[in-house]
Amino acid sequence: MKIYLFGHDCRYAAEQMLLTLFPGERPEYPDGTPEGDRAELSYFEGTARATAVCRFVRGGDVFVGRAAADRAKMTDDLSRARLLQRIVALSFYRAALNAGIKKPVWGALTGIRPGKLMSRLLQEGLSDRAALSKFVRDYDADPSRAKLCLYTAHAGLDCEKSLAPKDICLYIGIPFCPTRCAYCSFVSISVEKSMKRIPEYLAALDREIEETAAVIKELKLRPVAVYMGGGTPTTLSAPQLDALCTKLEETFDFSAVREYTVEAGRPDTITREKLAALKSHGVTRVSVNPQTMDDRVLAAIGRKHTAADVLEALDAVRQADGFLINMDLIAGLPADTPEGFQKTLETVLSLAPENVTVHTLALKKGSGIMREDTPLPPPEAVGEMITAADEALFSAGFLPYYLYRQKYMSGGFENVGWQKGGTESLYNICIMEELCSIVALGGGGSTKLCMGAGRIERLFDPKYPAEYIESIEKVLADKHKITQLLARPQGPAGLQEDRYHAL
Ligand code: SF4
């Protein structure tokens, strides 16, 4: 879509709203006189009010949307930038709705962490009821989405109280899987071929563990949650997992660790020996991720296992005893239907996991689904699946505890983590609510340093095994940037655009 900006340069706000309202479209910013189908976004500042106006032109018809803010609330550059972005986006939203564009479930809300907005309202002292209605009113969000945010905001605020200033989470990336799922953009296309590099990868990772532990010790940071993800860490053999966990616990101080999660996402990688190894190292939480319990859908997404394999894996995890179990599902997978998804939900709930995470399919560039143009359930069907999940989980006694949105999600929905009986994952809340720094090691690891006043600094490890192994010297050197960054004097908060980037 052609976008013209007048009196401001809020491309970010314009593009986020474009993505929300017209998920398939990309922005263009032509020079010259506006023409054709377009959005003209103008901004004016008066003495008392700042106003944004959008002229949305479609097929020769013109639709106008307006939004305004009180100039008195623009007390500094940051508050001005925030309000400017907000009213520009809102004017675009209103013009598009005037043109008959279907209202998104999240209304005018953009960004990946809507729960943080609800947290802010509660921190300002609003009651649950007042926060809910303000959230719905301000963002035009569906009340069902506001309700999800209320639960996750409370979970975040409770979690925050339990953290000390030097607490951190550790992430260890194992970017290997037995095969690549059709919707995946995490592991490399040649994931099967890269398996032979596991020993080299683990040797490099050992070096990064040592370097990172030294930095963390020097900074007196205290790991409280450990998360081994990927990829699928249980792609490693039992002796490899045992050696890795031994290295971790001998190198880091795990005495304050409250939660230790290992993703065992693919049931076809789970064995009793691996579970015994994990248990012997104090792993507390295991994630077994069927995504669907429909064999047809499993085949359509390139999984080489059946729903029966999931049942067998779950049985093995239960028999190993002592693990909290999370199960991930995805709404909107190819070949799935609302009826099929409902059956998946029923089967998963009958297995009584403590946590269930319901994702909405995100259409990621580089995934097999996008490359092959695979037919997918329409957004209405995805909406039915998400509604069914919310209803089934609430009535089974689960509560939402973290939530995030991603770019290009089917129907503009979200991913929600649900827990039963106070079993929420500390790591998931910390990363989503940005409550403490996450120090990441291994392929695909993304270190996020919380610098105070909402500032975040990021450091990235290379994504794929080959580049990780080959650039290990740089990876080790980069770990010392953690010290440099945390030693920097804390400047004023910048505008943290809640972008749809990798978490
Ligand atoms: S299990 Fe996860 S990381 Fe591995 S291929 Fe499938 S989606 Fe990608």
Side-chain angles (χ1 to χ4, degrees):
M1 180 183 293
K2 290 180 195 164
I3 296 180
Y4 298 87
L5 307 179
F6 301 107
H8 66 98
D9 191 24
C10 285
R11 287 191 178 201
Y12 173 73
E15 287 172 18
Q16 292 291 296
M17 192 47 75
L18 179 72
L19 196 61
T20 299
L21 296 164
F22 307 95
E25 298 207 27
R26 299 288 175 274
E28 292 168 42
Y29 297 95
D31 293 327
T33 313
E35 55 171 17
D37 286 358
R38 62 191 184 271
E40 295 173 27
L41 296 162
S42 307
Y43 175 74
F44 314 93
E45 266 181 22
T47 337
R49 308 279 286 163
T51 309
V53 179
C54 173
R55 283 185 85 243
F56 179 66
V57 183
R58 227 184 187 198
D61 293 327
V62 179
F63 306 90
V64 176
R66 283 192 178 76
D70 201 342
R71 286 284 316 271
K73 289 189 179 158
M74 297 179 166
T75 50
D76 53 21
D77 287 350
L78 180 63
S79 57
R80 180 180 178 274
R82 272 198 186 130
L83 283 168
L84 168 55
Q85 289 211 6
R86 177 153 164 60
I87 61 175
V88 165
L90 204 52
S91 68
F92 190 1
Y93 175 80
R94 287 176 177 161
L97 259 58
N98 286 340
I101 301 298
K102 188 170 180 268
K103 180 178 150 175
V105 280
W106 283 97
L109 247 171
T110 59
I112 59 175
R113 295 180 175 81
K116 286 183 86 172
L117 300 169
M118 184 65 88
S119 305
R120 223 175 274 157
L121 297 178
L122 296 176
Q123 281 167 326
E124 284 167 12
L126 267 63
S127 66
D128 285 1
R129 184 187 284 258
L132 272 175
S133 38
K134 185 163 169 55
F135 192 95
V136 168
R137 202 173 53 242
D138 285 1
Y139 302 106
D140 202 19
D142 192 276
S144 63
R145 304 300 104 181
K147 181 176 162 190
L148 293 177
C149 284
L150 186 67
Y151 280 105
T152 63
H154 275 297
L157 294 171
D158 290 347
C159 176
E160 193 171 12
K161 285 183 209 144
S162 76
L163 293 170
K166 294 272 186 178
D167 287 354
I168 58 162
C169 297
L170 282 183
Y171 174 87
I172 298 104
I174 306 294
F176 298 96
C177 287
T179 56
R180 192 177 194 249
C181 305
Y183 54 85
C184 182
S185 66
F186 296 121
V187 295
S188 73
I189 295 176
S190 55
V191 63
E192 293 95 331
K193 285 191 205 141
S194 69
M195 299 268 274
K196 60 178 182 304
R197 301 204 74 177
I198 288 179
E200 272 177 282
Y201 177 84
L202 291 175
L205 182 58
D206 274 1
R207 293 185 62 200
E208 195 187 2
I209 290 171
E210 284 168 15
E211 205 79 9
T212 311
V215 168
I216 282 180
K217 194 170 173 197
E218 183 191 320
L219 292 165
K220 298 190 172 51
L221 299 176
R222 187 175 83 141
V224 288
V226 181
Y227 194 101
M228 197 184 290
T232 307
T234 42
T235 306
L236 303 183
S237 66
Q240 285 167 335
L241 280 172
D242 181 43
L244 174 58
C245 292
T246 304
K247 181 77 182 176
L248 285 167
E249 71 203 20
E250 285 179 358
T251 319
F252 287 100
D253 176 2
F254 275 8
S255 57
V257 168
R258 290 189 252 157
E259 173 188 287
Y260 192 164
T261 298
V262 173
E263 280 195 29
R266 301 280 286 263
D268 42 343
T269 63
I270 297 174
T271 66
R272 288 175 204 279
E273 294 71 31
K274 293 180 194 180
L275 291 168
L278 297 179
K279 196 173 169 203
S280 71
H281 290 286
V283 170
T284 57
R285 185 171 177 272
V286 170
S287 195
V288 181
N289 304 329
Q291 317 301 9
T292 169
M293 292 299 277
D294 183 330
D295 284 343
R296 250 172 5 97
V297 182
L298 283 169
I301 59 173
R303 291 266 187 142
K304 301 279 187 255
H305 65 82
T306 61
D309 294 328
V310 178
L311 301 180
E312 209 175 298
L314 248 285
D315 189 45
V317 180
R318 283 287 181 226
Q319 280 188 27
D321 198 22
F323 295 119
L324 288 182
I325 298 177
N326 171 69
M327 297 181 79
D328 276 9
L329 300 177
I330 301 180
L333 288 172
D336 208 356
T337 59
E339 297 71 35
F341 191 75
Q342 179 73 43
K343 280 196 196 132
T344 288
L345 281 168
E346 286 162 13
T347 312
V348 164
L349 288 175
S350 74
L351 298 169
E354 285 76 16
N355 297 173
V356 176
T357 310
V358 181
H359 295 262
T360 302
L361 182 70
L363 306 171
K364 291 183 184 155
K365 251 196 331 199
S367 68
I369 284 178
M370 293 301 277
R371 278 200 319 277
E372 286 153 29
D373 221 359
T374 311
L376 295 167
E380 298 71 34
V382 179
E384 282 182 50
M385 296 180 200
I386 293 290
T387 306
D390 292 357
E391 286 172 5
L393 286 157
F394 270 124
S395 48
F398 285 80
L399 296 175
Y401 76 94
Y402 81 99
L403 178 157
Y404 66 102
R405 300 176 69 207
Q406 285 170 288
K407 238 180 186 178
Y408 312 124
M409 296 189 96
S410 289
F413 289 93
E414 66 283 319
N415 302 323
V416 183
W418 298 77
Q419 63 83 19
K420 194 168 181 176
T423 57
E424 60 273 11
S425 157
L426 174 65
Y427 176 87
N428 285 336
I429 300 178
C430 286
I431 191 165
M432 225 42 75
E433 296 286 318
E434 299 178 324
L435 297 182
C436 69
S437 296
I438 311 287
V439 175
L441 304 85
S446 157
T447 292
K448 285 177 68 179
L449 302 174
C450 293
M451 312 290 291
R455 263 181 57 220
I456 303 280
E457 296 281 357
R458 291 181 163 81
L459 296 167
F460 299 98
D461 277 32
K463 194 170 175 188
Y464 300 129
E467 49 175 332
Y468 177 79
I469 294 165
E470 277 140 34
S471 54
I472 188 63
E473 298 303 333
K474 180 175 180 312
V475 169
L476 300 183
D478 277 358
K479 277 287 165 286
H480 293 277
K481 289 187 183 162
I482 295 177
T483 311
Q484 293 158 19
L485 287 167
L486 290 178
R488 265 190 205 165
Q490 302 206 349
L495 181 64
Q496 290 288 321
E497 292 171 343
D498 190 12
R499 288 178 190 275
Y500 288 105
H501 45 54
L503 296 167

